[in-house]
């Protein structure tokens, strides 16, 4: 017999090793010896009040064996001689598109401009230490895409787009901890993601797929509005009739390529702003109502904030407790910051993007000349400003939070996790009014919602500009570009996802769509 229970467990109870069995036996009025196993289905923390509660959903196995294997099975088969589906980009969307192709009996041929996870590390070191950006291998481009060297956040609201559990189970199948199946806000961690990504690559190769690293797509050969071939590295042409375009939100060369070929694109609203970084202990004290060090059973505290300011949302994005800020530029001459955390989230700082909604149809009248690329050009200008204000390197412009809101240059800055370093700059006057004025009001409101958040001990760091794609590549109900037969825009770069899980689900959907008719 299996019984499901919802339990509320205090912090004191959580300290006991047998607390779930004890609680379940009391509620079900059975002997503890009759409980042969307990499977945790869901776990979350309720810290809204000083008395912290752990919410559990569990399955209690009563005189029944607890299964050791998952109900999910992945039917990968040899596709070495099967019909090919070409996939451009090897981030979450491209990886899951490739895996789904193999399940469906088609051969994925993946074309990735960047390097594999191991070789990619040298280029990340060059950004952090030497301020040199490799435009094909960086925090955004390379095996696993922007997700590889990130927090690996798996929380998504895209529950109607596909089977979220299946995405998680596949990550576990490839080496992620099964804790992601339980936590309400799961993450893998930047220290563990590379191995998971490598395992996915090995599965694809094992079953006959192909992955070509350091292979940039430079043109699409199109005849009669139908994909015929792909040009690689400005030279070789590879015949192709089904192309899943999963290049991510930072592959600007792809947007320019399509635009120059007069292939339909659409401007898309997005968000930009800054990263704010606090000492982690401040966020812990606010969220856990504690002074001093948080309880050892409590994870580094996070937060989620949103405020409407002058008809635009100002909100936290990609919050990284116990994390660090990294340089996410994809070209020299720009500064872009992002955040990530190791699996234990044990760094001394908490950081989050705080961004402002940009309505491309109302907010950018001076950029109308750029048509569908107007948001992209606005984004580029902000990143160039940050490069100049930071000192024309990967050093980022920064300001104490209180100084930013009160409109004064910071005489000095707080310690930071951002390895290339910070340069004091008047971001309150450098940021466009569209963004800066709303951020200032937003931070004041956040200080009211979280007492202690508004503090001179926090830095803001510019700029957080790559929250999502500023361009949408349209597609029809068959997930195919309405103008180009055989082209399937996919994931974040197409404007159809907003994170690892939603991109992975979209990759699977596009694989299913691309094989039809073959």
């Amino acid at each position: 017999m299996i019984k499901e229970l919802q339990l509320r467990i205090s912090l004191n109870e959580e300290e006991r090793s047998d607390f779930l069995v004890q609680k379940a036996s009391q509620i079900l009025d059975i002997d503890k010896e009759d409980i042969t196993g307990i499977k945790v289905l869901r776990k979350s923390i309720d810290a809204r009040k000083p008395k912290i509660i752990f919410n559990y959903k569990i399955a209690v196995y009563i005189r029944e064996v607890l299964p050791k294997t998952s109900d999910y099975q992945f039917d990968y088969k040899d596709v070495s001689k099967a019909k090919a589906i070409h996939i451009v980009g090897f981030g979450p969307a491209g990886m899951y598109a490739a895996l789904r192709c193999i399940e469906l009996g088609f051969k994925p041929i993946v074309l990735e401009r960047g390097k594999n996870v191991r070789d990619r590390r040298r280029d990340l070191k060059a950004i952090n230490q030497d301020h040199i950006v490799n435009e094909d291998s960086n925090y955004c481009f390379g095996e696993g895409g922007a997700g590889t060297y990130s927090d690996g956040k798996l929380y998504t609201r895209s529950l109607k787009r596909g089977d979220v559990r299946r995405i998680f189970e596949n990550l576990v199948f490839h080496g992620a901890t099964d804790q992601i199946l339980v936590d309400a806000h799961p993450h893998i961690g930047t220290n563990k993601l590379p191995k998971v990504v490598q395992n996915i690559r090995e599965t694809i190769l094992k079953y006959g797929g192909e992955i070509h690293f350091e292979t940039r797509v430079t043109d699409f050969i199109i005849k009669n509005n139908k994909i015929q071939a792909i040009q690689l590295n400005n030279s070789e042409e590879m015949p192709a009739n089904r192309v899943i375009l999963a290049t991510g939100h930072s592959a600007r060369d792809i947007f320019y390529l399509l635009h120059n070929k007069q292939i339909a694109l659409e401007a898309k609203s997005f968000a930009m702003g800054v990263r704010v970084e606090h000492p982690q202990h401040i966020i812990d004290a606010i969220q856990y109502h504690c002074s001093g060090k948080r309880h050892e059973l409590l994870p580094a505290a996070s937060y989620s904030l949103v405020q409407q300011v002058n008809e635009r949302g100002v909100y936290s994005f990609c919050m990284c407790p116990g994390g660090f800020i990294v340089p996410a530029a994809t070209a020299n001459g720009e500064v872009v910051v992002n955040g990530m955390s190791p699996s234990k989230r044990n760094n001394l700082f908490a950081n989050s993007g705080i961004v402002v909604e940009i309505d491309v149809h109302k907010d950018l009248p001076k950029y109308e000349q750029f048509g569908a690329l107007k948001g992209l050009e606005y984004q580029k200008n902000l990143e160039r400003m940050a490069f100049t204000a930071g000192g024309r390197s990967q050093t980022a412009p920064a300001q104490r939070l209180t100084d930013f809101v009160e409109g004064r240059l910071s005489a000095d800055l707080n310690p930071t996790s951002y390895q290339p370093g910070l340069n004091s700059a008047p971001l309150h006057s450098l940021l466009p009014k569209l963004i800066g004025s709303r951020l200032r009001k937003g931070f004041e409101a956040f200080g009211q919602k979280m007492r202690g958040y508004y503090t001179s001990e926090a830095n803001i760091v510019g700029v957080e500009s790559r929250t999502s794609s500023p361009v949408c590549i349209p597609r029809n109900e068959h997930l195919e570009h309405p103008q180009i037969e055989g082209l399937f825009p996919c994931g974040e770069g197409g404007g159809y996802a907003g994170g690892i899980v939603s991109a992975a689900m979209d990759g699977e959907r596009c694989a299913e769509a691309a094989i039809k008719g073959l």
Side-chain angles (χ1 to χ4, degrees):
M1 183 186 302
I2 303 171
K3 292 279 190 180
E4 287 193 5
L5 294 178
Q6 302 276 357
L7 303 179
R8 289 174 59 80
I9 304 293
S10 70
L11 194 53
N12 289 336
E13 290 174 315
E14 179 81 5
E15 291 181 299
R16 293 169 45 188
S17 59
D18 66 340
F19 70 96
L20 287 180
V21 172
Q22 183 73 31
K23 201 89 168 180
S25 67
Q26 290 175 357
I27 293 173
L28 296 174
D29 194 23
I30 59 175
D31 195 293
K32 288 192 296 183
E33 302 302 320
D34 290 333
I35 298 177
T36 50
I38 288 181
K39 183 177 182 179
V40 178
L41 304 176
R42 205 71 171 159
K43 181 181 179 182
S44 64
I45 298 174
D46 185 349
R48 291 173 294 179
K49 297 180 180 179
K51 184 179 180 180
I52 294 172
I53 297 294
F54 292 80
N55 292 314
Y56 278 89
K57 181 180 180 181
I58 63 173
V60 183
Y61 286 72
I62 304 168
R63 294 183 294 276
E64 189 163 332
V65 178
L66 182 69
K68 294 182 179 181
T69 59
S70 170
D71 293 335
Y72 277 79
Q73 302 297 323
F74 299 98
D75 184 22
Y76 299 128
K77 48 181 71 76
D78 183 4
V79 295
S80 56
K81 297 180 181 179
K83 292 181 179 179
I85 302 290
H86 290 76
I87 300 168
V88 185
F90 199 47
M95 288 191 298
Y96 271 79
L99 291 172
R100 188 66 180 135
C101 282
I102 292 172
E103 286 186 285
L104 297 171
F106 291 81
K107 179 178 182 174
I109 299 178
V110 180
L111 309 169
E112 167 56 51
R113 68 193 299 164
K115 302 176 183 178
N116 65 47
V117 286
R118 187 172 185 177
D119 293 340
R120 197 175 164 189
R121 289 173 182 156
R122 288 191 288 272
D123 298 311
L124 302 186
K125 183 179 179 182
I127 300 174
N128 281 297
Q129 296 186 4
D130 305 321
H131 300 240
I132 297 171
V133 180
N134 182 325
E135 296 189 5
D136 288 318
S137 178
N138 44 61
Y139 277 98
C140 290
F141 300 146
E143 185 175 20
T148 300
Y149 294 98
S150 76
D151 201 26
K153 294 179 186 66
L154 303 177
Y155 180 69
T156 181
R157 294 183 177 90
S158 303
L159 303 180
K160 295 181 180 179
R161 297 186 185 181
D163 189 342
V164 173
R165 179 76 179 202
R166 173 185 160 81
I167 302 300
F168 283 31
E169 291 277 5
N170 213 337
L171 288 168
V172 173
F173 179 81
H174 285 101
T177 171
D178 60 6
Q179 191 66 31
I180 67 172
L181 304 175
V182 172
D183 290 342
H185 292 270
H187 77 288
I188 298 175
T190 186
N191 53 321
K192 294 186 176 181
L193 269 164
K195 182 59 178 177
V196 175
V197 167
Q198 180 182 324
N199 290 342
I200 291 174
R201 179 222 306 165
E202 291 172 356
T203 292
I204 293 168
L205 296 176
K206 175 182 177 181
Y207 289 97
E210 295 180 16
I211 302 172
H212 301 267
F213 292 113
E214 298 182 71
T215 304
R216 185 199 283 231
V217 171
T218 50
D219 201 2
F220 297 106
I221 312 305
I222 298 169
K223 292 182 180 179
N224 299 321
N225 290 330
K226 185 176 181 179
I227 288 281
Q228 299 290 315
I230 305 170
Q231 184 189 75
L232 308 175
N233 300 326
N234 289 312
S235 56
E236 174 191 357
E237 287 188 10
M238 179 181 285
N241 62 7
R242 294 286 196 281
V243 176
I244 296 175
L245 191 59
T247 47
H249 59 46
S250 291
R252 290 171 171 169
D253 57 323
I254 293 294
F255 295 138
Y256 286 121
L257 170 62
L258 298 177
H259 185 69
N260 291 337
K261 294 179 80 70
Q262 298 185 326
I263 295 173
L265 298 173
E266 298 170 359
K268 174 180 160 293
S269 295
F270 59 114
M272 294 196 295
V274 295
R275 280 259 146 197
V276 60
E277 183 171 63
H278 291 78
Q280 181 63 51
H281 69 81
I282 290 179
I283 305 302
D284 289 341
I286 297 170
Q287 299 296 69
Y288 293 141
H289 321 282
C290 65
S291 58
K293 192 175 181 181
R294 69 178 183 271
H295 193 285
E296 62 181 7
L297 291 180
L298 294 173
S302 63
Y303 60 83
S304 178
L305 293 166
V306 63
Q307 181 73 26
Q308 285 292 312
V309 179
N310 298 335
E311 300 180 335
R312 295 288 179 273
V314 179
Y315 59 92
S316 58
F317 171 83
C318 184
M319 197 276 145
C320 299
F324 43 93
I325 301 176
V326 297
T330 52
N332 291 291
E334 63 190 29
V335 165
V336 181
V337 292
N338 193 11
M340 54 191 62
S341 304
S343 58
K344 292 183 179 179
R345 291 182 164 174
N346 56 358
N347 197 24
L348 295 176
F349 299 95
N351 73 80
S352 177
I354 302 295
V355 295
V356 177
E357 290 179 331
I358 309 294
D359 186 330
V360 290
H361 306 297
K362 297 180 180 180
D363 296 336
L364 309 179
K366 294 181 180 179
Y367 289 79
E368 287 298 329
Q369 60 181 308
F370 298 107
L373 302 183
K374 57 186 173 182
L376 176 56
E377 294 299 327
Y378 185 75
Q379 183 187 64
K380 286 172 63 176
N381 281 347
L382 198 69
E383 294 167 4
R384 290 179 187 134
M385 176 279 291
F387 177 76
T388 301
R392 305 189 68 81
S393 68
Q394 285 304 301
T395 301
Q399 203 168 1
R400 287 181 183 253
L401 173 58
T402 48
D403 289 341
F404 172 73
V405 173
E406 294 163 24
R408 58 177 177 263
L409 181 68
S410 296
D412 57 9
L413 298 168
N414 296 301
T416 182
S417 65
Y418 184 69
Q419 194 172 345
L422 303 179
N423 183 52
S424 180
L427 286 171
H428 63 276
S429 60
L430 291 173
L431 287 170
K433 186 177 180 181
L434 167 67
I435 296 173
S437 64
R438 287 182 171 91
L439 284 176
R440 292 165 77 175
K441 292 180 181 178
F443 279 126
E444 288 181 324
F446 296 160
Q448 295 295 317
K449 293 180 179 182
M450 289 178 61
R451 298 289 182 178
Y453 181 92
Y454 182 71
T455 172
S456 63
E457 292 185 63
N459 290 328
I460 66 160
V461 183
V463 289
E464 170 76 66
S465 52
R466 306 284 180 95
T467 60
S468 63
S469 175
V471 180
C472 174
I473 308 174
R475 64 190 189 189
N476 59 26
E477 66 273 17
H478 305 296
L479 309 188
E480 192 172 27
H481 193 282
Q483 181 184 349
I484 306 300
E485 185 179 343
L487 182 65
F488 295 83
C490 181
E492 288 202 35
Y496 301 102
I500 290 174
V501 176
S502 57
M505 289 192 292
D506 201 56
E508 289 200 333
R509 293 177 66 216
C510 284
E512 292 163 2
I515 69 168
K516 291 180 179 178
L518 284 179

